[in-house]
Amino acid sequence: MATVLETENLTREFGALVAVDDVSVAIDDADITSIIGPNGAGKTTFYNLLAGQLEPTEGRVFIRPRRTDTIADGGTATDTDDGTDADGGAGGSAGTAADAGRGGDGLVDVTGMEPFEINRLGLARAFQINNVFERLTVLENVRIARISRDGRTLDVTSVAADDDELNEEARRVLELTNLVEVADTRCANLSHGDVRKVEIALALGTDPSVVLLDEPTAGMNATETRRMVDLIGDLNDDTDTTFLVTEHDMEVVLGISDRILVFDNGRLIADGTPDEVMADERVREAYLGGER
């Protein structure tokens, strides 16, 4: 078991409002971790801080990179287990992921980096609001994610269509997300459940070490919800990607989570297994009690 994502004293203030208040947490690669809390608890702000959409007022964010990319110019260093390049150096000049490393634990400080830089290092996000290219097919959407991962710029409807390696990689992602049958369907013509799966496929297409899932079952009927829960569980078992989930449906949370973090008024008030969290009086008062 290894830590793939960590925050230290993470804080975000908006004037007098403290949206995320001194949160320190380490996410392990073996767990599906869910974040719950009432509206306004700080969950979305926390996600925005992790992904680089917001900069913290105080504190740091660390991730374990999938690859040692050169942030400054999009170049890629040769991967090794200890974060050095093939020549035994620190992975390049200023601006590399290796330069931001935190000693021997393999984590990289991504605080203040741009979202695309954090994504290239290995943290991807599937948004609650659909963020797909509706006029493109499912396969074309995933090809874009693979191109983005490599820092390339291609016309996905022409040049990329003839890239056999790119197509093979994209189709492997479609197999993982049960989207092969709709590979050539435009996203505008998909069911809501399939569009949500495309969102996850786009995240996986960037080869992440961590995926942030934002309300993955939002707007789904009972059948679609069960399929999504099964898919996330299968992906957790079949890949080495770690999933962090925000979700309001407590049945989904309890059914999918190895660990639950509970936020209230920007603070982390509980952290444990589903049974431990459900038995916590603070959780019943701050969250579950508020739902009754």
Side-chain angles (χ1 to χ4, degrees), residues 14-36:
F14 297 95
L17 173 66
V18 183
V20 172
D21 190 358
D22 195 30
V23 174
S24 296
V25 67
I27 304 299
D28 294 326
D29 60 357
D31 295 336
I32 295 179
T33 302
S34 291
I35 299 176
I36 66 172

Side-chain angles (χ1 to χ4, degrees), residues 215-253:
E215 301 284 350
T217 67
M220 290 187 178
N221 60 38
T223 299
E224 290 173 329
T225 295
R226 284 195 300 272
R227 290 173 179 167
M228 178 59 70
V229 169
D230 290 343
L231 175 62
I232 296 170
D234 289 343
L235 290 172
N236 187 64
D237 292 338
D238 298 339
T239 73
D240 58 357
T241 301
T242 302
F243 294 91
L244 187 62
V245 182
T246 58
E247 179 62 59
H248 277 99
D249 187 328
M250 285 305 300
E251 185 175 348
V252 170
V253 170

Side-chain angles (χ1 to χ4, degrees), residues 84-200:
T84 61
D85 62 21
D87 296 325
S93 60
T96 65
D99 290 338
R102 194 184 63 173
D105 61 6
L107 297 178
V108 170
D109 187 346
V110 299
T111 313
M113 287 186 182
E114 294 292 333
F116 80 90
E117 294 172 333
I118 295 174
N119 176 263
R120 195 170 293 173
L121 279 171
L123 187 145
R125 183 176 181 179
F127 289 87
Q128 179 180 358
I129 299 174
N130 293 332
N131 200 32
V132 303
F133 297 95
E134 292 189 342
R135 302 176 82 177
L136 299 182
T137 69
V138 173
L139 179 61
E140 288 169 342
N141 268 267
V142 178
R143 281 204 302 247
I144 290 174
R146 301 302 285 186
I147 290 168
S148 172
R149 176 203 62 171
D150 296 333
R152 293 189 288 166
T153 301
L154 293 175
D155 179 353
V156 297
T157 61
S158 58
V159 179
D162 298 324
D163 188 325
D164 291 338
E165 182 179 358
L166 181 66
N167 283 318
E168 182 179 352
E169 292 173 347
R171 288 190 181 278
R172 280 201 295 268
V173 174
L174 297 187
E175 290 174 2
L176 284 170
T177 49
N178 301 325
L179 288 167
V180 173
E181 293 185 0
V182 294
D184 297 319
T185 301
R186 287 189 176 187
C187 288
N189 298 325
L190 296 176
S191 68
H192 175 68
D194 279 343
V195 172
R196 298 297 286 159
K197 288 196 291 184
V198 174
E199 285 277 2
I200 295 177

Side-chain angles (χ1 to χ4, degrees), residues 68-96:
T68 50
D69 285 302
T70 301
I71 298 301
D73 60 12
T76 304
T78 302
D79 291 334
T80 64
D81 289 338
D82 61 2
T84 61
D85 62 21
D87 296 325
S93 60
T96 65

Side-chain angles (χ1 to χ4, degrees), residues 4-8 10 46-56 59-67 69 71 96-102 106-124 209-210 212:
V4 292
L5 175 66
E6 184 174 339
T7 66
E8 289 184 354
L10 198 62
F46 184 66
Y47 259 22
N48 288 339
L49 292 169
L50 297 180
Q53 272 92 19
L54 286 173
E55 288 193 28
R60 318 297 296 176
V61 178
F62 302 88
I63 67 170
R64 182 176 300 278
R66 172 75 74 186
R67 303 176 300 156
D69 285 302
I71 298 301
T96 65
D99 290 338
R102 194 184 63 173
L107 297 178
V108 170
D109 187 346
V110 299
T111 313
M113 287 186 182
E114 294 292 333
F116 80 90
E117 294 172 333
I118 295 174
N119 176 263
R120 195 170 293 173
L121 279 171
L123 187 145
S209 53
V210 181
L212 310 180

